[in-house]
Amino acid sequence: MAESIEFSKKVIEAAEAKIEWYNSNAIPQLSENYRLFHTCVKNLYDLLIKKSLIKPDPYRLDRKISGIKPLDNTQFIEGERTTIIGMRFSEFETMLDWICTYYKFSIASLKIPEIKKLLDYNNSFQWGSLSPNNPMPNTRGLGQLVMEMKRGGDLLTSSSVNDIISKIKKTTEEIVRIFKDLTEFQKEIYKYRIRKEIILSDKFDQDKAFSSEAEEVAQIKKLFTSIIGKEPFYTQLVEEIAREDQASDREQLQAATLERLAIVEEKRKNAVNEVNTKEMILDAIHSLCAQSTPLGAVYTKLSENNEVLQSASTNFWSQLIAALKKAFGIQEKPVEYEVIIVEQATNTRRKQRVSFTPFNADIQKKASFYNSFSLKNSAAYRKFQSADEQKLLEFLNKQISDLQKISILLKALDDFFKNNAPADKRSKIKGLSMELMAIKNNMVNTNQRRAEYISYIEEQEQMKKLGLDK
């Protein structure tokens, strides 16, 4: 009995260390893979629209998402392929955007049923066999459209499409690998929780439980619902616990369990020249591409909100004056809004005039610019690759600073439109809260990468000063 209790303590210590490792290593990598997955899917979606192979989804920005749901994969009439695949692929991209922005990746949230939901959604399109002959309606329909795009496009378009699909395939394979490991680890977490919350609890009758394997299973089952809650009772995993405690080969079983809970990491490379600092800063710059989607949505919403406010103040005389100015070539007075800026650090408020048209045009330019180097074989990205590291860092610093200023003005404009629209038109104003949250989360990701780069550079400089560099 004492040996079993001691083993439970070893399992708890090892499991908690591995949970921490997962949350700080594998889970961030999983999140990054989903961001790359989404970027590639968005680029493919935009290409299909640009080539008029699918129609833009009119409900795209209004779609409300509260959780991961299966994508419709029913058969459709061949003549409706453009519309149906356009709608379904748009929904798929929107869900990926939601996953990247709002989904909380962690050991606690990624239980086995949740992993299955994510994998099923990833496989709404079978990226490894994207063919016009695939039996699955969505994959077959998308495969036909991709084939048409490559057949009717130029060499650059065909190369871009191949690159996108290749990256999606590799990224989804890596996601599957992480989920496979995580699924196995979740089984160990289930057993770890039983040991920690039931076997080591005062309510657990150790004398009775350790009299036989069957009795241990019965004691765990008796306390399971009252302690663990409404989670499923997996008899097979509970029987594994009993065998680890009492079977004749328990020493081998215990060793195998502790081995599964061990943290296996590659040895860190010490040589300076084995770490490519250029790739580190390029990776941070490439993460800016995630801003393309929320900024593009912001531009559309701001344009529509501006139209609502301008149309509300338009009457007969203003229409007549506008017509006369147009007839005589007189420029219209620029649209300006006086917004309230709230300084977070001091909680003070100040007024600022925003010249709407150039500001919104800058938003659109930034969205297009960030999208221009989302593919690493693009001309824009190759320019970064040939640039000096210091210039790249200066560029990155400026982009982060610009995005911070833009976010402050967007929040102020969002409040302005909501507060100044006439009551009868207020329902037409589209809020920016989702996009602002996405921009903020993406900035956190970029900032983290920049910090890692700067920290590494400073560490190496310090080592040089100490004469420890190789």
Side-chain angles (χ1 to χ4, degrees):
M1 183 174 73
E3 291 178 0
S4 298
I5 297 301
E6 189 61 31
F7 175 66
S8 290
K9 291 177 180 178
K10 287 181 181 179
V11 167
I12 291 166
E13 182 181 356
E16 289 178 348
K18 194 157 187 177
I19 289 170
E20 185 178 345
W21 178 87
Y22 257 100
N23 283 331
S24 59
N25 290 272
I27 298 297
Q29 182 59 47
L30 178 65
S31 179
E32 176 58 27
N33 283 328
Y34 264 103
R35 278 193 287 269
L36 178 57
F37 186 17
H38 172 249
T39 298
C40 293
V41 167
K42 179 67 166 59
N43 288 334
L44 183 59
Y45 177 79
D46 290 342
L47 271 175
L48 288 167
I49 289 179
K50 184 179 179 181
K51 300 295 182 181
S52 301
L53 288 167
I54 60 173
K55 296 177 181 178
D57 180 2
Y59 306 106
R60 181 181 178 82
L61 296 176
D62 297 326
R63 189 174 287 119
K64 303 296 182 185
I65 300 173
S66 57
I68 300 164
K69 296 179 181 177
L71 192 67
D72 186 6
N73 202 12
T74 55
Q75 298 286 353
F76 52 85
I77 300 170
E78 187 61 25
E80 295 180 350
R81 184 179 65 200
T82 297
T83 302
I84 297 296
I85 293 298
M87 292 282 286
R88 290 180 184 178
F89 199 43
S90 172
E91 182 184 342
F92 184 75
E93 185 274 323
T94 305
M95 174 62 78
L96 278 179
D97 186 28
W98 180 87
I99 290 170
C100 293
T101 307
Y102 299 105
Y103 194 85
K104 301 299 181 185
F105 288 99
S106 69
I107 288 293
S109 64
L110 289 171
K111 301 289 180 64
I112 293 174
E114 195 69 11
I115 290 173
K116 185 178 184 305
K117 278 169 39 177
L118 282 161
L119 285 173
D120 286 346
Y121 201 86
N122 292 359
N123 291 326
S124 298
F125 298 93
Q126 296 176 352
W127 301 103
S129 55
L130 200 61
S131 161
N133 301 317
N134 192 290
M136 303 302 290
N138 287 347
T139 307
R140 182 174 66 251
L142 185 60
Q144 288 169 335
L145 295 176
V146 166
M147 183 181 68
E148 288 178 26
M149 181 160 53
K150 290 196 288 187
R151 185 187 297 158
D154 52 29
L155 189 61
L156 181 60
T157 299
S158 181
S159 175
S160 295
V161 172
N162 288 336
D163 183 59
I164 289 170
I165 293 172
S166 173
K167 284 181 178 176
I168 291 176
K169 185 173 180 294
K170 289 177 182 177
T171 305
T172 51
E173 285 173 354
E174 179 62 14
I175 289 172
V176 169
R177 184 194 66 77
I178 294 173
F179 275 147
K180 184 179 178 182
D181 291 345
L182 190 52
T183 298
E184 292 303 311
F185 182 50
Q186 284 290 2
K187 294 176 183 177
E188 299 303 323
I189 290 177
Y190 184 87
K191 291 158 62 179
Y192 141 78
R193 285 191 63 197
I194 288 175
R195 288 189 178 279
K196 182 178 181 179
E197 298 176 34
I198 295 179
I199 292 178
L200 295 187
S201 74
D202 295 336
K203 297 179 181 178
F204 188 72
D205 189 339
Q206 295 180 6
D207 292 329
K208 193 172 183 180
F210 294 131
S211 62
S212 69
E213 292 179 32
E215 191 58 51
E216 184 171 356
V217 171
Q219 285 294 309
I220 292 170
K221 189 171 185 178
K222 179 181 176 182
L223 297 171
F224 187 87
T225 303
S226 62
I227 294 177
I228 300 293
K230 295 182 179 180
E231 291 193 29
F233 183 85
Y234 295 117
T235 304
Q236 184 178 351
L237 294 179
V238 175
E239 288 175 347
E240 281 185 25
I241 293 173
R243 286 198 299 274
E244 290 167 357
D245 286 339
Q246 303 189 56
S248 58
D249 60 344
R250 59 181 175 274
E251 289 184 3
Q252 292 92 324
L253 294 173
Q254 289 177 5
T257 295
L258 292 175
E259 185 178 350
R260 287 194 296 271
L261 291 173
I263 297 170
V264 181
E265 290 188 281
E266 293 183 4
K267 292 181 180 179
R268 188 172 179 178
K269 297 176 182 177
N270 293 318
V272 175
N273 59 2
E274 290 183 2
V275 176
N276 192 329
T277 54
K278 183 76 170 283
E279 283 300 321
M280 289 179 74
I281 190 67
L282 284 171
D283 187 45
I285 288 172
H286 192 253
S287 70
L288 290 167
C289 298
Q291 300 288 13
S292 175
T293 300
L295 286 175
V298 163
Y299 169 77
T300 302
K301 287 187 175 183
L302 284 181
S303 301
E304 293 175 0
N305 290 348
N306 179 57
E307 287 181 11
V308 171
L309 253 65
Q310 293 304 308
S311 64
S313 61
T314 301
N315 53 34
F316 172 76
W317 292 109
S318 59
Q319 288 178 354
L320 178 60
I321 291 169
L324 289 171
K325 284 182 177 180
K326 186 175 181 180
F328 289 101
I330 302 172
Q331 286 189 341
E332 284 282 341
K333 185 179 179 181
V335 176
E336 288 190 344
Y337 294 121
E338 189 174 78
V339 299
I340 304 296
I341 303 292
V342 179
E343 299 289 355
Q344 297 294 331
T346 59
N347 202 28
T348 57
R349 299 158 68 87
R350 60 180 173 84
K351 293 180 180 179
Q352 181 173 329
R353 297 194 73 81
V354 179
S355 187
F356 178 79
T357 303
F359 175 73
N360 204 30
D362 285 343
I363 297 290
Q364 186 184 35
K365 285 179 185 176
K366 272 216 180 294
S368 299
F369 174 56
Y370 291 148
N371 190 54
S372 71
F373 57 88
S374 58
L375 294 178
K376 291 188 177 181
N377 65 345
S378 64
Y381 190 80
R382 286 197 294 270
K383 286 183 180 179
F384 290 129
Q385 289 176 315
S386 62
D388 176 75
E389 278 189 43
Q390 184 58 37
K391 294 291 184 186
L392 291 175
L393 181 59
E394 290 171 5
F395 167 81
L396 182 61
N397 289 339
K398 184 179 184 304
Q399 295 306 310
I400 292 173
S401 176
D402 288 350
L403 286 166
Q404 288 170 338
K405 293 173 184 175
I406 286 170
S407 296
I408 292 170
L409 286 176
L410 287 178
K411 178 65 174 71
L413 275 171
D414 189 33
D415 293 337
F416 177 86
F417 283 125
K418 289 174 180 175
N419 296 331
N420 288 273
D424 61 329
K425 294 185 180 291
R426 199 160 291 164
S427 62
K428 295 182 179 180
I429 296 295
K430 294 185 176 179
L432 304 178
S433 57
M434 285 183 64
E435 289 74 21
L436 285 169
M437 180 63 73
I439 291 169
K440 179 182 177 182
N441 289 342
N442 292 335
M443 282 174 63
V444 168
N445 178 43
T446 301
N447 258 321
Q448 182 179 350
R449 292 166 186 272
R450 178 180 63 167
E452 288 171 357
Y453 170 80
I454 293 172
S455 176
Y456 185 82
I457 293 295
E458 290 177 348
E459 179 186 337
Q460 297 310 312
E461 287 297 324
Q462 187 65 26
M463 288 178 70
K464 286 179 182 179
K465 289 178 182 178
L466 296 172
L468 298 175
D469 60 313
K470 295 184 180 181

